Amino acid sequence: MKSYVVKKKNKNKKISKFKIKKDGYEFKPNVRKENLIKIDSLTIYNLEMIERLLEKKIEISFRKLTKLVLNEINDEDGNQGGICIALNELTKLKSVLMNEFKAFIKKEDYDKYMKRLKLYEKELKNKLIFLEEKEKHREEEEVKHR
C-alpha cells in the first residue's frame, strides 16, 4: 500500500511517501469543492477521531433507517415488499457495524447500536407477521364468498 502526505512549502506542494504499520480507518472523503486537492482515500490513525467520525456516520445511517422503519410500521396499508426492504437495510447496517466498525468503537456504543437494531428487527418482523395473517384472512374471506 502506498501512502502520501502533502506538505505545503512556499506555495508549492511537496508529496512525501511514508509507510505506517498501525491499523487505521480508511475511507473515501466526499469533497466536491473546487480548488481543493483530490483525495482518493484517507486513513485516520487517531482513535478519538475515528470514534467521532464513525459515531457521526452511524447516527446518520440510524436516522435514515429509523425513518424507514417507522414509515413501514405505521403504514396501515403496508406491503411486505417495503418491510423486506427495511429489513435488508437493517441487515446491511448490522453487517457494517459488526465487520467494519466494531474494532473502532467502544463496546458500550456497539452494544447500544446492536440493541436498537434488534428492536427495529423485532418490530418489522411483527409487522410482517401481521400483514401475512391479514392477507391470509382476506384470502379465506374471498373463498367463503365464492
Side-chain angles (χ1 to χ4, degrees):
M1 180 177 106
K2 294 181 181 179
S3 302
Y4 301 93
V5 64
V6 178
K7 296 180 180 179
K8 188 173 182 180
K9 195 173 192 180
N10 298 336
K11 296 184 182 180
N12 294 328
K13 292 174 178 60
K14 179 182 174 187
I15 298 180
S16 300
K17 183 178 177 182
F18 69 99
K19 291 185 180 182
I20 296 179
K21 294 183 181 180
K22 289 174 68 176
D23 288 332
Y25 175 69
E26 185 174 344
F27 68 100
K28 296 177 182 177
N30 189 9
V31 180
R32 294 190 176 150
K33 294 185 180 179
E34 293 181 22
N35 300 326
L36 293 178
I37 299 171
K38 183 182 177 197
I39 300 173
D40 292 328
S41 69
L42 183 65
T43 305
I44 298 176
Y45 297 98
N46 184 325
L47 288 177
E48 289 179 22
M49 286 182 69
I50 294 171
E51 283 180 15
R52 282 191 243 141
L53 178 72
L54 291 181
E55 183 178 317
K56 191 173 189 178
K57 192 173 189 174
I58 292 169
E59 284 302 319
I60 290 169
S61 298
F62 264 101
R63 271 191 241 125
K64 290 178 185 176
L65 182 64
T66 302
K67 185 176 179 182
L68 181 62
V69 168
L70 288 176
N71 284 340
E72 292 302 324
I73 290 173
N74 294 330
D75 187 10
E76 293 296 324
D77 299 326
N79 60 12
Q80 295 174 355
I83 293 175
C84 289
I85 290 171
L87 281 169
N88 286 340
E89 291 298 317
L90 186 143
T91 304
K92 187 178 2 175
L93 181 57
K94 186 188 285 188
S95 174
V96 168
L97 275 172
M98 290 190 312
N99 297 326
E100 295 179 27
F101 297 164
K102 186 176 182 179
F104 299 111
I105 58 178
K106 296 176 187 170
K107 183 173 177 11
E108 301 85 38
D109 292 338
Y110 175 78
D111 292 340
K112 177 183 75 170
Y113 295 136
M114 294 307 284
K115 189 174 182 179
R116 284 171 66 185
L117 287 174
K118 285 179 185 175
L119 178 66
Y120 290 164
E121 186 175 20
K122 181 180 175 185
E123 290 297 323
L124 285 170
K125 286 183 178 180
N126 286 341
K127 179 70 174 194
L128 188 61
I129 291 169
F130 172 75
L131 289 175
E132 288 173 352
E133 289 176 358
K134 187 176 176 182
E135 182 67 28
K136 186 177 179 182
H137 181 64
R138 188 179 321 135
E139 288 175 0
E140 290 173 356
E141 289 295 321
E142 287 179 7
V143 170
K144 287 181 182 178
H145 290 304
R146 287 185 188 181

